[in-house]
Amino acid sequence: MPILQQKPVTPSGRFYLKNKVDLAKKRPEKSLTKGHHRKKGRNTYGRITSRRRGGGHKRLYRSIDFRRNRFGDLAKVTSIEYDPNRTAHIALIQYGDDEKSYILCPEGLSVGDEIISSDKKIDFKVGNAMPLLHMPLGTKVHCVEMLPGAGAKIARTAGSAIRLISIDGDDASLRLPSGEIRLVKSKCLATIGAVGNGSHQK
């Protein structure tokens, strides 16, 4: 992904770098968005109790499918979009019955690719989701559940990936980006690959 540097016409623009990515220039999917109220330092009575908070552009919240519980249904990536609520980009996928949903876009996923989630062993491909017990050791994964069926909680930020170290019965050992070793149930769902937009801080 090329990184562009703009002409420094202001002091703040001297070190500003921009990632050149091919994101869809369209409005987000209306059925998957909702209004997002920000507190702006106000309490339940609407009075400012924490000063100097607020401002910024209005945002629509994109509902992300962190459960991936449509097992065995093939989905096609129709677009990769920007999400103002998170550092990672999101991918709009469409199932065979025309149902759409958003997922976090992993690194290497592109428009037109087909992905699937399953509770059994499936093809080892970026974007596919399956339980940890069916993955080979050393696999890089993201969007990992802490409890089976609870939805992804670990490794959701841009560029993050977790390494599967070992599987011992019902437990799986994961090495987090911080170096911490964490145990989760081996039946927990995880998505293959690392989260995209890894150069978002540059």
Side-chain angles (χ1 to χ4, degrees):
M1 179 188 305
I3 298 176
L4 304 180
Q5 185 175 14
Q6 65 181 11
K7 184 179 178 182
V9 294
T10 60
S12 62
R14 187 172 302 279
F15 305 104
Y16 176 73
L17 298 173
K18 183 171 71 172
N19 295 334
K20 186 181 180 184
V21 291
D22 297 324
L23 297 178
K25 296 179 174 62
K26 71 178 190 67
R27 295 281 295 172
E29 192 67 27
K30 192 171 183 181
S31 61
L32 300 173
T33 57
K34 59 184 178 181
H36 181 53
H37 174 72
R38 291 188 282 181
K39 292 180 73 72
K40 300 181 283 290
R42 287 166 164 78
N43 63 4
T44 54
Y45 300 106
R47 299 177 186 132
I48 291 180
T49 54
S50 184
R51 290 172 293 174
R52 301 177 183 85
R53 289 196 181 184
H57 201 286
K58 268 189 161 182
R59 300 176 183 179
L60 284 175
Y61 184 78
R62 282 83 165 160
S63 298
I64 311 293
D65 181 17
F66 287 117
R67 295 183 185 273
R68 299 287 298 270
N69 53 7
R70 286 197 56 163
F71 296 142
D73 292 345
L74 208 63
K76 188 176 182 180
V77 179
T78 58
S79 67
I80 297 174
E81 303 176 14
Y82 170 75
D83 189 353
N85 303 295
R86 63 192 74 249
T87 56
H89 296 317
I90 55 177
L92 181 65
I93 61 174
Q94 185 171 2
Y95 294 96
D97 57 357
D98 292 338
E99 183 183 345
K100 296 179 180 179
S101 66
Y102 279 124
I103 63 166
L104 296 188
C105 183
E107 190 176 343
L109 194 71
S110 56
V111 176
D113 290 349
E114 290 185 335
I115 58 175
I116 192 172
S117 63
S118 175
D119 54 352
K120 300 179 178 65
K121 191 170 185 177
I122 51 175
D123 292 338
F124 190 80
K125 182 182 170 186
V126 170
N128 285 356
M130 58 180 163
L132 291 166
L133 61 94
H134 297 311
M135 295 184 184
L137 300 182
T139 305
K140 275 187 176 181
V141 294
H142 67 279
C143 284
V144 184
E145 296 177 328
M146 296 184 74
L147 292 171
K153 294 286 189 291
I154 317 176
R156 304 192 325 191
T157 188
S160 64
I162 291 177
R163 184 81 64 178
L164 177 62
I165 299 175
S166 66
I167 295 176
D168 185 14
D170 291 338
D171 295 326
S173 298
L174 304 171
R175 180 181 283 122
L176 305 187
S178 63
E180 176 191 351
I181 305 296
R182 171 161 288 203
L183 284 179
V184 297
K185 295 296 181 184
S186 59
K187 291 184 178 179
C188 288
L189 216 64
T191 307
I192 300 171
V195 186
N197 196 28
S199 59
H200 75 104
Q201 286 181 329
K202 296 181 181 176

